[in-house]
Amino acid sequence: MGIFNSKDKQLEPPPPPFLDEPWRKIRWGDNQAVLQYVQNYKPANENIKLLRVLLYGPVGAGKSSFINSVGDIMQRRMTNSAAASAITSDKSFTKQYQTHKIQITRGANKTFYPFVFNDIMGVENETASGVHPEDIKLAMMGHVKEGYKFNPVSSLSKDDHYYNKGPAPDEKVHVLVCVLSANVAEVKKIILEKMNSVRETARDLGIPQMAIMTNVDEACPVTEKDLKNVYRSRHLKNKMKEFSSAVGIPMKYIFPVKNYSHEIELDDDVDTLILSALKNMINFGDDFIEKNAPV
Ligand SMILES: Nc1nc2c(ncn2[C@@H]2O[C@H](COP(=O)(O)OP(=O)(O)OP(=O)(O)O)[C@@H](O)[C@H]2O)c(=O)[nH]1
Ligand SMILES: [Mg+2]
């Protein structure tokens, strides 16, 4: 039986929540090849030792959790590098500018992967709250020194001790990643405006941009049950389309992920989505390094 409106005219039944075929192909369980690809990565230019990824986005979107999750996957165990918030709040948990490196070997001769992540304070709702968009721009250009404590009221000034006057090529950002949660109804206009001004700067600097959509588990119960449903969920696809038009990043540069949040063991499907996003981050950043680095 169909659904009838007041005039007894039959309405279209709602579309089924699941697509027959996944709309993006991804090789579940083929993590070894991607893991190896990432493990073997070396920046395209030998004058650049590190590929730098900058994550930005609303408070609580999962920026720190994503960095932690990449650390967990690369080190094949649970770690705790970019402490994530344990409670949800509208104030940013991350307060300082910090570079997160991932160890290859532990002990006396520590070595690190040649890609690093910069974690920043979240973009907040009010005008004088959260990270100052100008600080994100300065970070992209490599002017923000490690340990700088974000001040929502004013941006880092040129004579501040934390202002890096002459950033080296690998202190600059090579790929900008917008982080959004699939589990929010709508991103507020003021947040989008702040994010758009960051994107314009990245565009002017030629820095490649992509996005990750976190919390796909919380936003879609069937995906929570089985992460392999992520590209068959109509809801998540619509959510991605919504984000794509809100932030102006094409769908093909948006990657859904589920961050490690409560797990104590690694999971192959969680790893597949995060590695897929990570591989693309590295590739986009490396394209930029190849084009722009000094020879
Ligand atoms: N279920 C689930 N929880 C997540 C996911 N990503 C993040 N979380 C949880 O969401 C909360 C906020 O995550 P954070 O990583 O601290 O977010 P953030 O973007 O760094 O936030 P600020 O530093 O405050 O701007 C934490 O409790 C995480 O465990 C996800 O993909 N799935
Ligand atoms: Mg954080």
Side-chain angles (χ1 to χ4, degrees):
M1 220 176 95
I3 303 163
F4 292 84
N5 71 5
S6 55
K7 287 179 189 140
D8 266 9
K9 216 173 97 191
Q10 195 161 2
L11 294 174
E12 286 283 309
F18 277 89
L19 306 164
D20 290 337
E21 290 293 324
W23 61 274
R24 189 181 274 169
K25 294 265 181 286
I26 181 160
R27 280 195 224 137
W28 296 100
D30 189 12
N31 293 341
Q32 205 45 46
V34 188
L35 194 60
Q36 205 140 44
Y37 180 90
V38 173
Q39 283 168 338
N40 293 341
Y41 169 73
K42 296 262 176 314
N45 183 303
E46 58 182 30
N47 293 317
I48 297 225
K49 298 277 174 279
L50 299 173
L51 180 149
R52 192 172 293 272
V53 181
L54 179 68
L55 296 118
Y56 78 114
V59 172
K63 301 177 288 297
S64 303
S65 300
F66 180 78
I67 298 172
N68 279 337
S69 301
V70 169
D72 296 342
I73 294 171
M74 298 308 292
Q75 296 181 51
R76 309 309 301 147
R77 64 179 186 90
M78 292 301 163
T79 59
N80 187 1
S81 107
S85 162
I87 37 161
T88 313
S89 135
D90 60 352
K91 292 274 169 272
S92 197
F93 184 73
T94 303
K95 308 268 187 232
Q96 280 188 353
Y97 191 62
Q98 234 186 324
T99 298
H100 296 277
K101 296 180 178 179
I102 300 167
Q103 282 184 19
I104 305 174
T105 52
R106 289 149 63 83
N109 293 317
K110 277 196 192 110
T111 54
F112 297 91
Y113 284 105
F115 49 88
V116 294
F117 294 89
N118 278 106
D119 193 10
I120 52 174
M121 193 178 194
V123 178
E124 285 177 25
N125 230 338
E126 293 134 46
T127 314
S129 169
V131 62
H132 202 290
E134 204 53 40
D135 278 345
I136 308 183
K137 297 176 189 172
L138 291 174
M140 279 191 272
M141 294 183 265
H143 290 304
V144 182
K145 281 191 195 167
E146 195 70 15
Y148 167 63
K149 207 158 176 282
F150 293 104
N151 177 358
V153 181
S154 65
S155 69
L156 177 63
S157 77
K158 279 198 168 112
D159 39 66
D160 195 293
H161 163 70
Y162 283 102
Y163 189 93
N164 181 357
K165 290 198 171 72
D170 52 14
E171 287 174 323
K172 297 178 183 174
V173 167
H174 306 119
V175 54
L176 180 70
V177 180
C178 166
V179 184
L180 291 164
S181 166
N183 202 27
V184 294
E186 196 184 8
V187 186
K188 299 231 165 60
K189 197 165 164 252
I190 181 161
I191 295 184
L192 284 177
E193 279 167 5
K194 287 182 182 181
M195 290 173 63
N196 280 339
S197 91
V198 172
R199 293 198 49 245
E200 276 167 22
T201 306
R203 191 196 53 208
D204 294 346
L205 295 167
I207 299 174
Q209 303 182 37
M210 58 178 279
I212 54 173
M213 184 173 81
T214 62
N215 281 292
V216 292
D217 53 329
E218 292 208 318
C220 173
V222 192
T223 302
E224 182 176 27
K225 240 186 194 163
D226 184 358
L227 213 49
K228 292 191 182 78
N229 286 322
V230 68
Y231 287 118
R232 287 187 59 214
S233 158
R234 198 181 291 274
H235 172 66
L236 291 177
K237 188 178 184 191
N238 287 340
K239 203 76 206 169
M240 267 172 77
K241 279 190 189 156
E242 212 180 89
F243 285 157
S244 172
S245 57
V247 297
I249 297 179
M251 285 287 271
K252 66 174 179 174
Y253 301 133
I254 306 182
F255 296 82
V257 296
K258 183 244 170 296
N259 289 324
Y260 283 114
S261 50
H262 60 275
E263 299 77 358
I264 53 167
E265 300 283 348
L266 293 171
D267 175 286
D268 281 345
D269 295 339
V270 170
D271 292 2
T272 298
L273 288 179
I274 291 181
L275 282 168
S276 163
L278 178 63
K279 181 181 173 182
N280 281 284
M281 253 168 234
I282 289 179
N283 286 345
F284 298 154
D286 202 55
D287 288 344
F288 179 70
I289 287 177
E290 197 172 14
K291 253 193 255 155
N292 296 282
V295 275

Short mmCIF file of all heavy atoms in Angstrom, two decimals, residues 52 97 137-145 163-168 171-173:
data_model
loop_
_atom_site.label_atom_id
_atom_site.label_comp_id
_atom_site.label_asym_id
_atom_site.label_seq_id
_atom_site.Cartn_x
_atom_site.Cartn_y
_atom_site.Cartn_z
N ARG A 52 53.45 18.41 4.66
CA ARG A 52 52.67 18.93 5.80
C ARG A 52 51.18 19.03 5.46
O ARG A 52 50.79 19.67 4.49
CB ARG A 52 53.22 20.30 6.20
CG ARG A 52 52.71 20.82 7.53
CD ARG A 52 53.47 22.08 7.93
NE ARG A 52 54.87 21.81 8.22
CZ ARG A 52 55.33 21.46 9.41
NH1 ARG A 52 54.49 21.35 10.43
NH2 ARG A 52 56.61 21.22 9.60
N TYR A 97 48.90 25.24 18.51
CA TYR A 97 49.34 24.78 17.19
C TYR A 97 50.40 23.72 17.41
O TYR A 97 51.42 23.96 18.06
CB TYR A 97 49.93 25.95 16.42
CG TYR A 97 50.17 25.64 14.96
CD1 TYR A 97 49.14 25.31 14.12
CD2 TYR A 97 51.46 25.68 14.42
CE1 TYR A 97 49.34 25.03 12.78
CE2 TYR A 97 51.68 25.42 13.08
CZ TYR A 97 50.61 25.09 12.27
OH TYR A 97 50.81 24.81 10.95
N LYS A 137 45.36 31.02 7.93
CA LYS A 137 46.07 31.47 6.72
C LYS A 137 47.57 31.56 7.01
O LYS A 137 48.40 31.12 6.20
CB LYS A 137 45.53 32.82 6.26
CG LYS A 137 44.06 32.75 5.85
CD LYS A 137 43.55 34.12 5.51
CE LYS A 137 42.04 34.09 5.32
NZ LYS A 137 41.47 35.43 5.17
N LEU A 138 47.91 32.13 8.19
CA LEU A 138 49.33 32.24 8.55
C LEU A 138 49.95 30.84 8.68
O LEU A 138 51.10 30.63 8.28
CB LEU A 138 49.49 33.02 9.87
CG LEU A 138 49.15 34.51 9.80
CD1 LEU A 138 49.20 35.13 11.20
CD2 LEU A 138 50.11 35.26 8.86
N ALA A 139 49.18 29.92 9.24
CA ALA A 139 49.68 28.54 9.38
C ALA A 139 49.96 27.94 8.01
O ALA A 139 51.00 27.30 7.80
CB ALA A 139 48.67 27.69 10.14
N MET A 140 49.07 28.19 7.07
CA MET A 140 49.28 27.64 5.72
C MET A 140 50.59 28.13 5.12
O MET A 140 51.28 27.41 4.42
CB MET A 140 48.13 28.06 4.79
CG MET A 140 46.91 27.22 4.94
SD MET A 140 45.76 27.57 3.62
CE MET A 140 44.84 28.90 4.26
N MET A 141 50.91 29.39 5.43
CA MET A 141 52.13 29.98 4.86
C MET A 141 53.37 29.65 5.68
O MET A 141 54.46 30.10 5.35
CB MET A 141 51.94 31.49 4.72
CG MET A 141 50.87 31.82 3.69
SD MET A 141 50.70 33.59 3.45
CE MET A 141 49.37 33.97 4.54
N GLY A 142 53.18 28.92 6.77
CA GLY A 142 54.32 28.49 7.58
C GLY A 142 54.77 29.51 8.62
O GLY A 142 55.85 29.37 9.20
N HIS A 143 53.95 30.52 8.87
CA HIS A 143 54.37 31.58 9.80
C HIS A 143 54.08 31.28 11.27
O HIS A 143 54.51 32.03 12.14
CB HIS A 143 53.69 32.90 9.44
CG HIS A 143 54.19 33.49 8.15
ND1 HIS A 143 55.53 33.75 7.93
CD2 HIS A 143 53.55 33.86 7.02
CE1 HIS A 143 55.68 34.25 6.72
NE2 HIS A 143 54.49 34.32 6.14
N VAL A 144 53.34 30.19 11.53
CA VAL A 144 52.98 29.92 12.93
C VAL A 144 53.95 28.89 13.52
O VAL A 144 54.09 27.78 12.98
CB VAL A 144 51.53 29.41 13.05
CG1 VAL A 144 51.16 29.17 14.51
CG2 VAL A 144 50.56 30.41 12.42
N LYS A 145 54.59 29.27 14.63
CA LYS A 145 55.54 28.35 15.25
C LYS A 145 54.81 27.38 16.17
O LYS A 145 53.77 27.71 16.75
CB LYS A 145 56.58 29.12 16.06
CG LYS A 145 57.67 29.74 15.21
CD LYS A 145 58.78 30.24 16.12
CE LYS A 145 59.70 31.20 15.36
NZ LYS A 145 60.58 31.93 16.26
N TYR A 163 55.82 34.03 15.80
CA TYR A 163 55.71 34.29 14.35
C TYR A 163 57.01 33.87 13.66
O TYR A 163 58.10 34.34 13.99
CB TYR A 163 55.44 35.79 14.11
CG TYR A 163 55.10 36.10 12.67
CD1 TYR A 163 53.79 36.15 12.24
CD2 TYR A 163 56.12 36.36 11.74
CE1 TYR A 163 53.47 36.43 10.93
CE2 TYR A 163 55.81 36.64 10.42
CZ TYR A 163 54.49 36.67 10.02
OH TYR A 163 54.18 36.96 8.70
N ASN A 164 56.89 32.98 12.72
CA ASN A 164 58.07 32.50 11.99
C ASN A 164 58.25 33.38 10.74
O ASN A 164 57.47 33.29 9.80
CB ASN A 164 57.82 31.03 11.60
CG ASN A 164 58.99 30.41 10.85
OD1 ASN A 164 59.98 31.08 10.56
ND2 ASN A 164 58.85 29.13 10.52
N LYS A 165 59.30 34.20 10.78
CA LYS A 165 59.47 35.19 9.70
C LYS A 165 59.93 34.55 8.39
O LYS A 165 59.56 35.01 7.32
CB LYS A 165 60.48 36.25 10.14
CG LYS A 165 59.92 37.16 11.23
CD LYS A 165 60.74 38.45 11.34
CE LYS A 165 60.08 39.46 12.25
NZ LYS A 165 60.14 39.11 13.67
N GLY A 166 60.74 33.52 8.50
CA GLY A 166 61.27 32.91 7.27
C GLY A 166 61.02 31.42 7.22
O GLY A 166 61.94 30.62 7.44
N PRO A 167 59.78 31.01 6.95
CA PRO A 167 59.50 29.57 6.97
C PRO A 167 60.25 28.80 5.90
O PRO A 167 60.38 29.27 4.76
CB PRO A 167 57.99 29.50 6.73
CG PRO A 167 57.58 30.81 6.18
CD PRO A 167 58.59 31.82 6.60
N ALA A 168 60.76 27.64 6.29
CA ALA A 168 61.41 26.73 5.32
C ALA A 168 60.29 26.09 4.47
O ALA A 168 59.14 26.08 4.89
CB ALA A 168 62.16 25.65 6.09
N GLU A 171 58.00 23.89 6.25
CA GLU A 171 57.17 24.44 7.34
C GLU A 171 55.86 24.99 6.76
O GLU A 171 54.95 25.34 7.50
CB GLU A 171 57.94 25.53 8.08
CG GLU A 171 59.04 24.94 8.97
CD GLU A 171 59.93 25.98 9.62
OE1 GLU A 171 60.23 27.02 9.00
OE2 GLU A 171 60.35 25.75 10.75
N LYS A 172 55.82 25.09 5.45
CA LYS A 172 54.58 25.55 4.80
C LYS A 172 53.65 24.35 4.62
O LYS A 172 54.10 23.21 4.58
CB LYS A 172 54.90 26.17 3.44
CG LYS A 172 55.77 27.41 3.57
CD LYS A 172 56.10 27.96 2.21
CE LYS A 172 57.04 29.15 2.36
NZ LYS A 172 57.53 29.66 1.09
N VAL A 173 52.36 24.65 4.46
CA VAL A 173 51.38 23.57 4.31
C VAL A 173 51.29 23.15 2.84
O VAL A 173 51.29 23.99 1.94
CB VAL A 173 50.01 24.05 4.86
CG1 VAL A 173 48.88 23.12 4.45
CG2 VAL A 173 50.09 24.18 6.38
#
